[in-house]
Amino acid sequence: MEKMSRVTTALGGGVLTGRTMHCHLDAPANAISVCRDAAQVVVAGRSIFKIYAIEEEQFVEKLNLRVGRKPSLNLSCADVVWHQMDENLLATAATNGVVVTWNLGRPSRNKQDQLFTEHKRTVNKVCFHPTEAHVLLSGSQDGFMKCFDLRRKDSVSTFSGQSESVRDVQFSIRDYFTFASTFENGNVQLWDIRRPDRCERMFTAHNGPVFCCDWHPEDRGWLATGGRDKMVKVWDMTTHRAKEMHCVQTIASVARVKWRPECRHHLATCSMMVDHNIYVWDVRRPFVPAAMFEEHRDVTTGIAWRHPHDPSFLLSGSKDSSLCQHLFRDASQPVERANPEGLCYGLFGDLAFAAKESLVAAESGRKPYTGDRRHPIFFKRKLDPAEPFAGLASSALSVFETEPGGGAMRWFVDTAERYALAGRPLAELCDHNAKVARELGRDQVAQTWTMLRTIYCSPGLLPTANLSHSMGKGGSCGLQLMNSFNLKDMAPGLGSETRLDRSKGDARSDTVLLDSSATLITNEDNEETEGSDVPADYLLGDVEGEDDELYLLDPEHTHPEEPECVLPQEAFPLRHEIVDTPPGPEHLQDKADSPHVSGSEADVASLAPVDSSFSLLSVSHALYDSRLPPDFFSMLVRDMLHFYAEQGDVQMAVSVLIVLGERVRKDIDEQTQEHWYTSYIDLLQRFRLWNVSNEVVKLSTSRAVSCLNQASTTLHVNCSHCKRPMSSRGWVCDRCHRCASMCAVCHHVVKGLFVWCQGCSHGGHLQHIMKWLEGSSHCPAGCGHLCEYS
Amino acid sequence: MREAVLTWCVPLELLCSHPLPVSAFLKTQVKLHTYRACAGKDEMGKMVSVINTVDTSHEDMIHDAQMDYYGTRLATCSSDRSVKIFDVRNGGQILIADLRGHEGPVWQVAWAHPMYGNILASCSYDRKVIIWREENGTWEKSHEHAGHDSSVNSVCWAPHDYGLILACGSSDGAISLLTYTGEGQWEVKKINNAHTIGCNAVSWAPAVVPGSLIDQPSGQKPNYIKKFASGGCDNLIKLWKEEEDGQWKEEQKLEAHSDWVRDVAWAPSIGLPTSTIASCSQDGRVFIWTCDDASGNTWSPKLLHKFNDVVWHVSWSITANILAVSGGDNKVTLWKESVDGQWVCISDVNKGQGSVSASVTEGQQNEQ
């Protein structure tokens, strides 16, 4: 036959070519089937029955099998199947229960061959035997399956499923005599074609109707079933009891399922409701479709792989009256679109990072690791350890720690908890905070605090006293110590700190500030002029902008020395002396605040740079004396706060704001302050530092912030006279019209803290009650109750 | 006999310091625990080290992991359709909940601010957004939003100041905004065609009030300007702003990427009121967008780095000074802006800081 030869050439060519394409049908399709030559496809529907040739660029209508003037119900097809051995032979299942066979080899226009009118209701499925040319099987809504021999006029045998409608019948590829049928009640039956009396095996596969099934094309006894329960299950039928191998969950009920040729674990599904897409699943990865075809605008009713050995062409027919050829290459792959990584910055600067493991596995072999027990074991999970393969995915999730420099937030919590913001003189607060910062290794911040102290707390007469004191004590032993602390990498900070210690006191004058800058100058000069033993970065490491400003001030003020010029020289040794040897009593308390001093002693250093720096130091010290008011620095302080805020250290900005209070508040935009406050409070609350947060709120000068405390808390108050809940807002009871919170002592309304006795419910101003109860144990209201204040 | 007497003079502020229920206050004395197993540099001087590996028992790829507001719980979501919540305090990992309800891969999860209770939103390939809520220790589905026609790729809760508002970006190109109106009701607003082909990420701007808070009459809600950023398959980042009438309007279109934008992250506003947005894309580029002027109209991009692979995520540290970037090579790098305004990788091997990028391979090696 000439047709035959053409087919062989097509197959002999070996390669199918084509592209993703579609053509419009005149009517919705119900089913499609491909000719074994992979070049023709038949489309059947309620009012369509056509054969299309699949060409490279398009579908070409080849034959319309729906002939005759009046449409017959016999032509209303629910299913169609093309014989896999004889491409002239087709069978259709009609909605009226008729099974029709078609012979394309007939010369007449009407190709109808045989008509079997044995089923009483719609025939859902027809199926040719894969190897036997004349055997046709049908499954119907009436619950029966029939086997036809095309050489005879009627069915050979009838199989009764003993249950509801048959949805699908499929001959096994593996066993000559076996076929599987699926039912609306969720059962799958396995029949021997020779034994119509009863089924070989029956099991419940799905919850609800099983719409379809498909034997695995490779001879392995796997049967895939799809049901209304949105699942596709893969069964191993070779074992005594059908064993569920895989289960794929889809979005909608599964109408058709087809194994993908040449891909052991892939199958294609489509749905009859809701979902218009065709999915190709890897059964081992049951959650995400491997590929997805989204061409159809209505539900897909029929799918067929174009060639039994080619995995890339899929044909489909749809209710949207179109026929499509899909190329696997063009499929959208949700897996590819999926984000393989999750990343989250945690509160404490730790990172949670989840990543696809196949990526990880690929790299893991490179560097052998020598085992660090401190790292916990990395979690890995494989779905099927026995069969590792690339397509599968699982992820590893780790939490990483970043070090303080990298963003760990431990310091934040510590700092927040330990900072002192109020309740002590400014100088002490600064000292304390500087100390805290230094202990936490935040040298820059510590230094800022000490500088603030020197700027805003003037030493008054005290330093002078110190100086003279040190003059007396200043000895050669001091030099070495002084040097040692110069060499500390945080030299600038320490320098100013020294000054601080010395200048404890609240009297106002600017000497200390000047001292501080002088110290800085010392250090700088030290580096510039000597350079010998000083680490190159010791100065630049942590100095902020304002330091620079201070240096700059220096040259302009080079003036003749004053008599006092020697004093600073002793100032340094003094401090160390105090630590080393029992100091003068007036310094004792100060030292307690700076434990780091002892640390600096540990460093041993050369004496060389000391002298030169000393001379410079003395010069500048003398110069600045009492010339610059703190206001001079307000701009710098403002810039500094902005700097910190910009760095993300809003904690510093707010702390300084609070500590300095009025001194800087006017220089900074109200809104910015508010923003800092709210940011900081928000952070504190994230870290569950309620107390600190509360303190900050209380200390804040911004009204918007301080009113935060008054939000979101309900206080239920009962009238102390009639004991009814007070509903109105004020302090006057609605019922008894008396003021509820009168002080029993002074008989005025109490605003603010109100203390009362639970026994007699009398109370009043905290102060008044306390005072009263000191002298008497009776209730001040005169009710005779013995109140007690504890 | 004397009766027991009370002195009740706890300063009110102490109790009202926080919008959380008072019960939260009770926890204040409990010490905060961190869950890092090792601190300090190891012999290799790593900046970042694995401190915890979470056995998630997810059966498929994990797409997102989010820590809650207090950093104590970790929510993960996976292709296996489940969302899991772990308690990760003290370096432990206790599975608290395994939430099933999605019918497709779950792409992203987002924690709501704790002042609304324990609420988690998840979005999935199945076109649904589910809002989960913990009640009496058990997690349950509290709301399901099925208003999208395609995969929902991203969810993000608005700053708590606005109330409970969730933005969802979907592959159908739309962004929907769910607002809780009380009693289990959610109001939905939808921005159709926000991004052609699809929206991949949404991120809210921190709450900033125009003008001073002080001007607000007390008791009334401040007049916030709500804004968020979205990134999509049209290679664009768009900024959206709520108009006075409650409608959402496109405010800005930021154009710099040459391929799908995979993630956008609006930096938390700590410190200065300048706005910063980080974005990453399929094209391997990460941009930092900044807007200095108050009107918010001029955004300038700065290229952080061009990676050789897709960059999937960008995530800001809590103080917004460090940006974590994760790319297709499975490495996480940390970036910080230097004093001169350049972004530098603070965890780069070549920079002599020691090794660092928190690559998963390191973790893997640990196992061996």
Side-chain angles (χ1 to χ4, degrees), chain B residues 259-277:
Chain B
D259 206 336
W260 290 15
V261 177
R262 279 297 181 177
D263 199 6
V264 286
W266 204 308
S269 160
I270 297 289
L272 287 185
T274 42
S275 300
T276 308
I277 296 174

Side-chain angles (χ1 to χ4, degrees), chain A residues 249 285 287 292 339 341 360 369 374 395 399 401 403 406 647 675 685-688 690 709 777 788, chain B residues 5 16 18 28 32 36 38 49 51-52 62-63 69-70 79 81 125 269 271 313 321-322 327 330 364:
Chain A
Q249 293 205 336
R285 184 137 188 234
F287 307 107
M292 186 166 83
N339 202 332
E341 291 171 357
V360 177
Y369 185 72
R374 287 177 300 166
S395 293
V399 178
E401 168 191 61
E403 278 194 304
Q647 293 289 303
H675 182 70
Q685 293 180 349
R686 277 196 86 162
F687 284 100
R688 308 193 187 200
W690 315 127
N709 267 349
S777 56
E788 189 180 1
Chain B
V5 176
C16 356
H18 197 259
T28 55
L32 262 173
R36 63 188 45 102
C38 57
S49 52
I51 53 164
N52 197 1
I62 296 168
H63 299 297
Y69 188 80
Y70 298 119
S79 268
R81 290 146 201 243
Y125 181 71
S269 160
H313 280 296
N321 51 359
I322 297 173
N330 259 11
Q364 186 98 31

Side-chain angles (χ1 to χ4, degrees), chain A residues 465-646:
Chain A
N466 284 343
L467 292 176
S468 49
H469 171 78
S470 60
M471 245 206 296
K473 283 204 173 181
S476 54
C477 72
L479 282 176
Q480 191 176 359
L481 288 165
M482 145 75 186
N483 197 359
S484 75
F485 106 79
N486 249 352
L487 284 178
K488 256 218 131 198
D489 57 355
M490 274 315 298
L494 286 173
S496 28
E497 170 95 351
T498 338
R499 274 9 215 122
L500 277 185
D501 293 335
R502 192 169 58 85
S503 59
K504 276 276 174 191
D506 287 311
R508 300 235 152 201
S509 123
D510 292 326
T511 6
V512 165
L513 151 72
L514 304 170
D515 283 358
S516 155
S517 56
T519 317
L520 293 168
I521 290 157
T522 310
N523 293 324
E524 189 176 45
D525 278 274
N526 202 351
E527 183 186 43
E528 284 173 355
T529 56
E530 307 297 325
S532 56
D533 287 315
V534 188
D537 62 339
Y538 92 96
L539 182 71
L540 303 171
D542 287 281
V543 178
E544 318 101 28
E546 60 269 38
D547 295 46
D548 298 333
E549 303 270 351
L550 286 175
Y551 300 137
L552 292 177
L553 289 173
D554 167 44
E556 314 168 4
H557 293 275
T558 327
H559 289 310
E561 302 186 5
E562 291 176 26
E564 284 254 310
C565 65
V566 243
L567 292 180
Q569 194 167 2
E570 277 91 9
F572 283 103
L574 165 68
R575 178 165 173 272
H576 293 275
E577 218 170 28
I578 288 161
V579 180
D580 262 359
T581 62
E586 68 269 33
H587 300 294
L588 210 48
Q589 312 94 304
D590 300 343
K591 289 316 136 212
D593 283 339
S594 46
H596 59 276
V597 169
S598 51
S600 65
E601 288 166 9
D603 297 334
V604 183
S606 77
L607 289 165
V610 178
D611 292 333
S612 67
S613 60
F614 267 35
S615 58
L616 268 163
L617 174 65
S618 39
V619 171
S620 10
H621 171 244
L623 283 178
Y624 283 120
D625 201 54
S626 308
R627 284 204 201 143
L628 297 171
D631 282 351
F632 180 81
F633 295 97
S634 62
M635 298 305 272
L636 294 175
V637 172
R638 192 196 64 192
D639 291 347
M640 175 203 75
L641 292 184
H642 279 283
F643 165 80
Y644 276 113
E646 241 173 292

Side-chain angles (χ1 to χ4, degrees), chain A residues 182-476:
Chain A
T182 69
F183 294 84
E184 269 188 10
N185 62 3
N187 287 345
V188 170
Q189 294 178 353
L190 218 56
W191 293 83
D192 186 315
I193 205 161
R194 297 160 298 186
R195 296 193 58 181
D197 52 330
R198 61 179 187 84
C199 64
E200 296 281 290
R201 193 192 285 179
M202 180 168 89
F203 60 95
T204 304
H206 289 269
N207 200 353
V210 188
F211 290 131
C212 53
C213 65
D214 195 31
W215 290 94
H216 199 284
E218 289 165 44
D219 191 17
R220 44 163 62 205
W222 277 15
L223 179 71
T225 59
R228 197 177 62 186
D229 59 2
K230 306 178 186 176
M231 288 199 260
V232 176
K233 291 182 179 177
V234 177
W235 307 88
D236 185 351
M237 305 299 280
T238 54
T239 51
H240 182 61
R241 279 190 60 186
K243 189 175 139 208
E244 186 181 321
M245 304 293 291
H246 298 285
C247 178
V248 175
Q249 293 205 336
T250 68
I251 293 177
S253 61
V254 183
R256 304 267 190 238
V257 56
K258 290 280 177 218
W259 286 99
R260 186 174 174 209
E262 310 291 312
C263 291
R264 281 175 68 179
H265 293 98
H266 285 195
L267 48 78
T269 66
C270 65
S271 168
M272 58 172 62
M273 276 180 271
V274 188
D275 200 2
H276 310 163
N277 301 336
I278 301 164
Y279 300 99
V280 177
W281 304 85
D282 184 320
V283 292
R284 299 159 303 178
R285 184 137 188 234
F287 307 107
V288 207
M292 186 166 83
F293 301 101
E294 300 166 297
E295 281 85 357
H296 289 299
R297 294 288 138 243
D298 201 340
V299 291
T300 308
T301 47
I303 48 175
W305 292 95
R306 190 169 156 190
H307 188 275
H309 294 289
D310 188 316
S312 52
F313 292 88
L314 180 71
L315 298 164
S316 68
S318 159
K319 278 257 189 303
D320 65 3
S321 305
S322 71
L323 174 67
C324 273
Q325 171 169 275
H326 311 278
L327 247 65
F328 203 77
R329 200 183 53 215
D330 298 339
S332 74
Q333 302 191 355
V335 177
E336 295 301 309
R337 209 189 288 166
N339 202 332
E341 291 171 357
L343 177 67
C344 174
Y345 224 122
L347 192 57
F348 294 92
D350 26 25
L351 282 166
F353 180 53
K356 190 176 162 189
E357 240 176 0
S358 52
L359 286 172
V360 177
E363 291 177 45
S364 64
R366 281 187 209 159
K367 295 176 266 176
Y369 185 72
T370 49
D372 182 346
R373 292 279 160 196
R374 287 177 300 166
H375 297 294
I377 302 233
F378 206 76
F379 165 68
K380 228 165 68 165
R381 182 181 162 91
K382 288 199 175 83
L383 277 179
D384 186 2
E387 192 187 2
F389 58 98
L392 262 203
S394 62
S395 293
L397 176 61
S398 322
V399 178
F400 295 94
E401 168 191 61
T402 52
E403 278 194 304
M409 295 296 282
R410 186 70 235 179
W411 61 265
F412 179 89
V413 178
D414 285 340
T415 312
E417 280 173 341
R418 293 172 57 189
Y419 265 1
L421 299 177
R424 285 193 258 169
L426 177 61
E428 276 179 48
L429 292 176
C430 291
D431 282 348
H432 176 85
N433 294 345
K435 193 184 110 194
V436 168
R438 183 154 303 121
E439 279 171 12
L440 292 169
R442 306 179 67 223
D443 296 319
Q444 183 181 0
V445 172
Q447 190 194 344
T448 307
W449 280 113
T450 49
M451 291 182 53
L452 285 171
R453 183 206 202 281
T454 48
I455 291 172
Y456 290 98
C457 308
S458 311
L461 296 171
L462 195 53
T464 320
N466 284 343
L467 292 176
S468 49
H469 171 78
S470 60
M471 245 206 296
K473 283 204 173 181
S476 54

